[in-house]
Amino acid sequence: MYVNRDGREYEDATMDLEAFYTDIYDMVDNIPKSSQPSQGQLEGLFESIAEAGDELLGIFMSSKMSGTVDGALRAARSVAARHAGFKYRIVDTWSNSFDEGWPVFAAVAGRDSGCGLDQCCELVGKSMLSSRYLFTPESLRFLKAGGRIGAASALLGGLMKLCPILTVVDGETSTFAKVRTQKRALNAIAEKLKEDIEEFGLKNIVVHYIGSPVEAAKWAREIIEPIVSREVPVVPVSTCIGVHVGPAIGVVYECEHALRGKMTVDPASLVYAS
């Protein structure tokens, strides 16, 4: 994925995210544009995989948030038309950030333990059903500027100091709750984490942030780590997501068992195969 700011293009996989976020408050009046890889880039990558005789498992951001899945599928089909026997699976994770990342790690672990392509896809689906993303933006300014909420909603939220807790349900950003002040929102997120761990167990967790890492790191050390009894990585969100949300703090965790309400479809229906 790419971000363009003032005519300069950044690749989110290689850029210095912390450096980019240092002046994020100055971006609200001129929000950088995000874009997906071109089909040509994807075809070049997939071509090298096919020529090596390997199989492809591509795991991508929600199709309801980006066109990357569609581009990857077109590229895979194009390569398959030139290479008989090329096997691929393209997965629409119906999420982003580490909520997309845990399925990637599940697939890698499966591959490394000797699982085949379809077995790895099953592990991806299990992870998709078992993870939750909860985050709260510092303000509604970026969401308003990007057209994701109306001016009236942003004004009302600002006047009342309402902080939404956002999550991902069925591939789209959804409001989990609305509370007064970000501090209360973070406390509510911590309480939901506790509830989920008690009922579904805990496998993996990270604290996510957009903007400065200071408050996120403090929240991780003082609130989240005592709950989970382990060190918790504090990881910046990709700029492709961050520039649309603005400064925010959240948590993404993967449970041992499937969560209720995360997805209303079988993850197998989100796998596109050769």
Side-chain angles (χ1 to χ4, degrees):
M1 304 290 285
Y2 298 88
V3 168
N4 188 295
R5 184 186 184 194
D6 297 330
R8 181 179 177 184
E9 188 173 71
Y10 301 85
E11 182 181 348
D12 71 346
T14 59
M15 65 188 293
D16 185 337
L17 273 67
E18 285 194 29
F20 185 90
Y21 281 144
T22 54
D23 57 351
I24 190 170
Y25 292 98
D26 298 333
M27 302 179 196
V28 68
D29 295 321
N30 184 23
I31 295 178
K33 306 297 183 184
S34 58
S35 62
Q36 65 195 58
S38 69
Q39 186 170 336
Q41 287 177 293
L42 291 167
E43 278 198 39
L45 173 61
F46 297 172
E47 190 87 34
S48 66
I49 293 170
E51 289 175 350
D54 291 331
E55 298 172 341
L56 165 67
L57 174 52
I59 302 168
F60 294 94
M61 184 191 299
S62 174
S63 58
K64 297 182 180 182
M65 301 176 181
S66 168
T68 308
V69 168
D70 291 335
L73 188 56
R74 288 194 300 270
R77 286 171 174 165
S78 178
V79 171
R82 298 191 295 271
H83 295 270
F86 174 50
K87 292 183 65 176
Y88 66 82
R89 303 288 185 271
I90 301 295
V91 182
D92 180 354
T93 62
W94 265 19
S95 197
N96 65 70
S97 304
F98 253 83
D99 205 28
E100 173 191 355
W102 297 132
V104 174
F105 289 129
V108 170
R111 178 203 63 187
D112 291 349
S113 65
C115 292
L117 186 58
D118 289 324
Q119 288 175 300
C120 286
C121 281
E122 291 174 6
L123 293 172
V124 168
K126 180 180 178 181
S127 179
M128 288 164 59
L129 290 171
S130 304
S131 62
R132 196 183 307 280
Y133 193 178
L134 296 168
F135 64 102
T136 179
E138 186 177 296
S139 77
L140 302 176
R141 293 176 64 204
F142 278 78
L143 292 168
K144 172 184 174 295
R148 283 161 173 77
I149 59 172
S153 295
L155 177 61
L156 180 63
L159 291 174
M160 298 181 65
K161 295 187 181 299
L162 280 178
C163 279
I165 299 172
L166 303 177
T167 189
V168 179
V169 176
D170 280 346
E172 298 181 291
T173 303
S174 174
T175 301
F176 176 78
K178 292 181 181 179
V179 298
R180 300 285 292 274
T181 77
Q182 191 181 44
K183 181 178 180 180
R184 291 184 179 180
L186 292 172
N187 287 337
I189 290 173
E191 286 302 314
K192 182 59 178 176
L193 170 64
K194 284 182 187 177
E195 292 176 11
D196 281 343
I197 291 174
E198 289 173 1
E199 186 169 1
F200 304 106
L202 180 65
K203 188 175 181 181
N204 292 303
I205 184 170
V206 299
V207 164
H208 255 330
Y209 71 89
I210 302 166
S212 169
V214 176
E215 290 302 316
K218 180 180 178 182
W219 185 60
R221 302 290 91 81
E222 296 180 359
I223 305 298
I224 301 302
E225 289 185 354
I227 294 173
V228 301
S229 301
R230 69 173 80 165
E231 184 176 350
V232 176
V234 179
V235 182
V237 175
S238 163
T239 54
C240 292
I241 301 297
V243 295
H244 299 295
V245 177
I249 299 175
V251 66
V252 188
Y253 50 94
E254 181 184 20
C255 293
E256 296 285 354
H257 307 287
L259 298 163
R260 287 189 298 274
K262 172 70 181 297
M263 298 172 65
T264 58
V265 303
D266 184 341
S269 68
L270 301 173
V271 178
Y272 302 91
S274 54

